[in-house]
Amino acid sequence: LQAKVRGVTARTVSGVTAYEDRPLIENLDEIPCPIRSGAYVPKHSFIFYEASRGCPSKCAYCLSSVQGPVRNHSMARVKADLDMFFESSLSQIRFADRTFNCDPERAVEIIEYILKHNRKNINFHFEIQADFLSDEIINLLSKGPDGMFHLEIGVQSTNPRALDAVNRSYDLDVLREKVSLLRSKTACHLHLDVLGGLEHDSFKDFCKSYDDVYNLKPHDIQV
């Protein structure tokens, strides 16, 4: 502690001491792939994978909101990692990118690469924000066979007052339209999230949000 290690917060006899934060790693390609380097050996049939860090949203309930701006691995690095996954025995790759479609052009390039090279039909999980999901991405997803794409969509609440209190905003009508298109045009597995206990959200409000999400006819609802 005497060395004042950046990024460390410590409780001592004199109180709590917080040293300055470490700077963010700007070039994510400097971080070695843990599987390729041998630092991590998958023990399950799935793996979490980060093609980016940071989040464009600032939702008050989520730690990702304080992780800084979005920083990406280069597409060359992402494609090299995908090639490694395509040759593996893994059955699911769970992208941990906070909003996979925040950069639509990048999302399109990744999905196109998966469609072209994913001969084993490995399942890919993406966390997306549905209300600004582009038609181009929906059309690409429609080319995936059953079981290839799993989409997690954070609705959280349909109570505008609760959403405003936690700095979460979206167009509910557009979200309904996009989810309906995903249901009708693609074979994607749709997993929608609802949060309980938000500020200004009574139990009655929560039940309405749950009903609203249920009526979107997802395959799963996570509370």
Side-chain angles (χ1 to χ4, degrees), residues 71-140:
R71 292 156 292 136
N72 296 316
H73 277 301
S74 68
M75 284 305 306
R77 165 65 181 270
V78 173
K79 290 176 180 178
D81 290 343
L82 288 173
D83 287 340
M84 175 181 60
F85 296 143
F86 295 144
E87 298 303 319
S88 73
S89 60
L90 294 166
S91 61
Q92 185 184 59
I93 311 302
R94 301 180 183 178
F95 270 68
D97 300 53
R98 281 69 184 169
T99 305
F100 175 75
N101 62 316
C102 68
D103 182 339
E105 292 183 3
R106 180 178 169 85
V108 163
E109 188 170 355
I110 291 173
I111 295 170
E112 286 179 335
Y113 197 79
I114 292 170
L115 287 169
K116 183 176 180 180
H117 298 281
N118 187 15
R119 297 180 181 87
K120 294 182 181 179
N121 198 24
I122 296 170
N123 178 259
F124 281 84
H125 172 106
F126 302 127
E127 295 183 25
I128 67 168
Q129 189 162 338
D131 57 312
F132 60 81
L133 192 63
S134 69
D135 291 338
E136 184 178 11
I137 291 177
I138 293 175
N139 290 333
L140 270 179

Side-chain angles (χ1 to χ4, degrees), residues 43-54:
K43 297 180 181 178
H44 305 283
S45 61
F46 65 88
I47 192 170
F48 287 95
Y49 174 70
E50 283 186 317
S52 67
R53 293 188 179 179

